[in-house]
Amino acid sequence: MSNKSQKNHFKSKATEFLSNKRNTEALCSVIDSFKNGIEKGAPLSSLILTIETIFVDLLKTRDMTVIILPMQPLENSPENNYKQWLRERYTETFDLIVECLESEKHSDAQQALNTLMRFVTNEGLYPLEEHQNNQNHFPILQLNKVISKLLLSHRVMKNIIVKISEYTVYDDFCYYVWKLILKNSVPTRSNDFNNVFIQNYLELINVLIPSTATNKNYSNNDDAENEKNFLCKSIKFEQQSLKKNVNKVWNFLIQWPHNDITQRQLLVLLLEKVLPYLEKPAMLTDYLMDSLDLGGPIALLALQGIFILIHKYNMSYPNIYEKLYAMFEPEIFHMKFKPRLFHLADIFLSSSYLPETLVAAFAKRLARLALIAPPQDIIIILYFIGNLIIRHPGLKRLICDPNGGHEISNDPFLMDESDPNKSNALQSALWELQLLKSHMLPNVAQAVKNIISQPLPTQEWDLGNYLELKENDIFDQEISRKSKEYALTFERPMSDMKGHHHHQNSALSKYWKF
């Protein structure tokens, strides 16, 4: 049977069942075809959608709902037995679709999530068991199957977990997912603590915590009462509950065994989402200082965390400038987080009350790095040094006289000294800038001239304009500047090359025949 005819057969069996819900053979045929499709690795989206149609219909029409009377066993009637059989088929297909969340094909996995969430919503609105107290309930067991699969999958589920964010506008969904998240934060077996589990867990937490910028208005006011902000159970999820959950979860996360990937993920999560909710930010000190010693992007993210703690929570870190100084190594030019490092360093060194010996060391170290940096980074470094000199006019004496010269071999600056205050930078001179004045790229040479051959401006340069600069941008700027100097064409072409209406004086028509 071809793919198309299989699909048609599948759909016709589904229609057959929906027109006569006692047709058990048609429903079994649909479920068997679905199992078959999974085994063969066939595209599953349309099959999942058809199954969704069947069971959402069964939920809405209450064809699977049994009535539970207090203190009485369920009546053993053919009607109830058939309902029980339908519920078993529903559970069986629900579990099959949960497995599809791991599908290699993104569209299938996404459809699986959408369908499972429709099942969860409808099961909440039309429960499978009707109790006399008539309370609507939330199908937490079904939701648990979905969340567990996302967390305990054998691969990173980021692409699917991101889709969960579409449901975080619902209070009841958030309330119950947090319950499940906390339940899963202590895996039953220690070998569940693999890196994939931790990555998936962090992705899910990231989706659950609203960004403070777009912090949704948790229903604390009366206007929000009128809005339907729940999937199937009217439950409030207050800001206070969120805060409590974030703090509980963070205390677990920080103790887990992290590798480079999850450590970086954890720091980004801390900076972008978690920090505003923490009750005791001071407790982060040791964690951030340890991360700072790991170097690379992790150290940079830790530095940003420390910067926030210094500024927002008035904490002090005595050797933070030494740590920052140590980060300026040749490797930074190949790091994705390089703009963040320059941005943070600019803020850390923004005070005009810093000792000149410290600032001179940064200026000198950066000037030395500029000799081996790519062109776009040289420009950032030059304007950074320019800003440091504007803030500390006493450093002007480091700009050496082009005619007087400076013995490079006698430079007292100690590049390998880890303490910036002991690097002898103030006894040195920025001869590196004189070398860069002869750089082959006019943009670089011009940046040097802006700093050394005229009085410095009173206003600092905005580093933000240069942080995202790429080599191609420098090339394009240069070409657009140069091209204005030359006439590239003296006559606007009036037609295409193959046309016969060339101007009679055209050199093309004079010497070439097409």
Side-chain angles (χ1 to χ4, degrees), residues 63 178 274 320 381 434 462 469:
D63 283 308
W178 272 109
V274 171
I320 192 63
I381 288 172
Q434 292 296 342
D462 180 1
L469 202 63

Side-chain angles (χ1 to χ4, degrees), residues 13 45 56 149 274 372 442 457:
K13 282 290 176 192
S45 296
V56 166
K149 173 52 77 179
V274 171
I372 55 165

Side-chain angles (χ1 to χ4, degrees), residues 318-370:
N319 61 344
I320 192 63
Y321 286 99
E322 281 177 37
K323 302 265 186 190
L324 178 62
Y325 187 70
M327 282 188 185
F328 284 102
E329 292 284 347
E331 292 79 61
I332 62 163
F333 303 123
H334 312 293
M335 273 170 41
K336 204 170 96 183
F337 290 99
K338 178 192 64 191
R340 197 185 294 223
L341 175 60
F342 277 108
H343 174 67
L344 284 171
D346 193 35
I347 298 172
F348 268 105
L349 296 167
S350 58
S351 167
S352 54
Y353 295 106
L354 290 172
E356 266 185 10
T357 47
L358 177 74
V359 183
F362 274 94
K364 184 66 183 168
R365 190 178 184 95
L366 283 163
R368 191 65 64 84
L369 285 176

Side-chain angles (χ1 to χ4, degrees), residues 194-213:
N194 57 45
N195 293 321
V196 172
F197 167 78
I198 296 175
Q199 280 184 69
N200 286 332
Y201 198 99
L202 292 173
E203 288 296 348
L204 192 53
I205 294 291
N206 188 36
V207 164
L208 274 181
I209 303 176
S211 306
T212 37

